[in-house]
Amino acid sequence: MVKSDLGFLQLTHRTWGPTWPGMLFTQAGGAAGLRLGETLRTIAAHPLPEARYFLTFVLIEALLASHGDVGVHSAVDRVWNCVVSDNYFEIEPIRLSDGRIISFDNAAGDSGDWEAPVITAVLRADAGQRATALEEVVEDVMAHRHNMTLADRIKLAES
């Protein structure tokens, strides 16, 4: 893990300043928003791009399959279970001949409409930039989740 990424992982509202990645969600859900912000910062600071992609994929799938603050807590718990297990074998980075990662081969599925923005976000060089980009993606997911019908949620939960 890069030293700057390790420091970023420990950032809170006190050290980041008036705005920090995840702050957007605190106004929408109190404790759930705080946990979601902390989770985004942790994902952004992970040293492996394939792990960042996988954890974001898990977060998006879990957020779309649930609703309300309880659903956000559940989604965050799923991500943290994956962080603890440290098992990202389903994700293979797709590299150019020079070794740069351009995409991921995900045996578990894909992130749907958020695939391209997630890849762009997790491949940014700086953890702070990654966190901000991931926040934007999750903001879009949360807006979509809010507009989903009950039938959409049931169909997603069954798949």
Side-chain angles (χ1 to χ4, degrees):
M1 183 177 283
V2 180
K3 189 174 183 175
S4 63
D5 284 353
L6 181 60
F8 183 78
L9 210 129
Q10 299 169 353
L11 289 178
T12 65
H13 177 65
R14 291 183 305 278
T15 58
W16 185 265
T19 61
W20 43 273
M23 183 176 165
L24 171 74
F25 306 112
T26 61
Q27 282 135 38
L34 286 171
R35 290 188 70 214
L36 184 55
E38 177 185 16
T39 301
L40 288 175
R41 292 187 303 277
T42 301
I43 291 170
H46 200 288
L48 299 174
E50 56 269 28
R52 294 190 299 260
Y53 174 81
F54 179 74
L55 294 171
T56 306
F57 170 76
V58 168
L59 180 64
I60 289 171
E61 291 295 312
L63 285 171
L64 290 174
S66 59
H67 62 281
D69 286 357
V70 172
V72 172
H73 284 295
S74 175
V76 167
D77 289 344
R78 284 186 62 192
V79 170
W80 283 102
N81 287 340
C82 292
V83 169
V84 169
S85 70
D86 200 29
N87 188 359
Y88 314 108
F89 67 90
E90 296 175 340
I91 308 298
E92 289 293 326
I94 298 171
R95 299 178 186 271
L96 292 175
S97 59
D98 64 1
R100 269 185 308 142
I101 298 172
I102 58 167
S103 189
F104 299 94
D105 183 15
N106 182 0
D110 65 58
S111 301
D113 295 339
W114 296 280
E115 184 82 14
V118 167
I119 290 170
T120 301
V122 301
L123 291 180
R124 293 198 181 216
D126 178 69
Q129 293 173 353
R130 287 192 298 261
T132 301
L134 287 171
E135 180 183 42
E136 291 171 8
V137 172
V138 172
E139 180 182 4
D140 290 344
V141 170
M142 296 291 278
H144 177 78
R145 173 181 176 249
H146 179 74
N147 293 325
M148 286 175 70
T149 66
L150 182 58
D152 292 334
R153 288 194 183 112
I154 291 170
K155 183 179 176 185
L156 186 64
E158 289 175 348
S159 61

